[in-house]
Amino acid sequence: MNDFPSELLLLVIPLVVVEVGLMVFGLWDLTRPGRRVRGDSRLVWALIIVFVNVLGPIIYFAVGREEREAETTSDAAGAPAGPPAPGAIAGWARPGGASAGPGAAAGPGVAAGPTSMPSPGSPGPDMPQPRPAAPTSPPAPAPSPPPGPRADAEPAILIRGLTKRYGGEAGVLALDRLDLDVPAGSVFGLLGPNGAGKTTTLRMLAGLAHPSGGTAIVAGTPIDGGGRALTRQIGYLDQDPRYYGWATGSEIVMLVGLLHGMQGAKLEARTREVLAQVGLSEAAGRRLATYSGGMRQRLGIAQALVNRPPLLILDEPVSSLDPEGRRDLLTLIADLRGSTTVLFSTHVLADVERVCDRVGILDRGRLVTEGPLDELLDRYALPIYRLDPEDGQAEAVEQLAARLREMAWTIDVAVEHGLVKVTVADPARAARELLPAVVAAGVALVSYERMRPTLEDVFLELVGRNGEAAA
């Protein structure tokens, strides 16, 4: 009796009490004076009694199965086998065919073989067991490297020969055999004039458009046939996001989280977190119809971040933000460096120069150049000297500008609002001959400086000042 499972008693006793009570009540109901017994009454009571008798074994076997599964999980985790769980029948086969009886296959960490008495000299159940060796403390973890792209890491985006043509063979060639690598953990800026192919590239990487040729691998997943595996790796913000005006900010973010397989308290906590990141905590419960354009753009960043994607693709993310919103968003993008790869396009070159590690410039569907920002500035941006003359020297300044235009080492000389900007092709000669030319022209200067090249200078040098590709 001591071996009889207590859980089984807790199940059987109430069922027996219920069954006896139902039988007594049924007999009284069927035999009470003036009660006309019909066949359907007998059938109903018979069904009730059968149901009670069947319900008990079903519950018993269900509970027993759960106990056996819990026992199997405990054994697989390395816990001692111990006696059978309450409600389990000794000798029943466990999932996978292992038996709990003698001669059963041993679990992890248990020697195989029949259960028998200990051999002479071996420790018995009453003998002290050998003490396990004291665990050694794990070595201290190495300091983590500073955030940023790793040179030896696999690219987050690998593009080879990617081509997109709209309208068949005779249509518009939007992207022409693009080859591009985006390092993991970097902030990559994609630049180009209108119609250069930036948005087309981003949409194909996000799986929203199909290439006409070539291939790309995004976060280890091919864009063709990647399906849900691809979308789970990406956070995406379209150039012109549209939302339901009746929904709230929290509802939109939670909807995107649900589509990524998130749910419950974790989804709610993550929704609050990303809305706080983009400064929308106070407006989280407001209808989107009341949001400004900048608030909608920040909401787009929040929904793109909700699933903690390894790759964030942003198409013109700061296009509708005011200066303060642009600053905050660029700070957020810069903080993601090293933990998330960010690929974004923009027309605001100063923003790219502020946060990007690498830059790629597209023009007419082709990649003009790509590389680290500092290298591009050194390679393509020509030095510019800025001269600020004293007031009242307009005629002398014009003569100086005309003389400088005749110099072999100058490319462009512009006089704007009293300032003289001199773009030079030979910095060494300019450093030697520019100031003597100023002195010879008799122009007195307030200041004289060599300006640092900007990304705009590189862009205009490569793409052309009128939107035409530079030769």
Side-chain angles (χ1 to χ4, degrees), residues 83-101:
I89 299 179
W92 277 20
R94 301 180 182 177
S99 172

Side-chain angles (χ1 to χ4, degrees), residues 2-37:
N2 292 337
D3 296 332
F4 197 85
S6 58
E7 283 78 4
L8 184 58
L9 288 175
L10 293 176
L11 290 171
V12 171
I13 292 175
L15 288 174
V16 171
V17 173
V18 171
E19 182 176 358
V20 172
L22 286 173
M23 291 178 65
V24 172
F25 183 82
L27 291 174
W28 171 81
D29 182 62
L30 293 173
T31 59
R32 64 180 174 172
R35 174 81 155 74
R36 185 175 180 181
V37 180

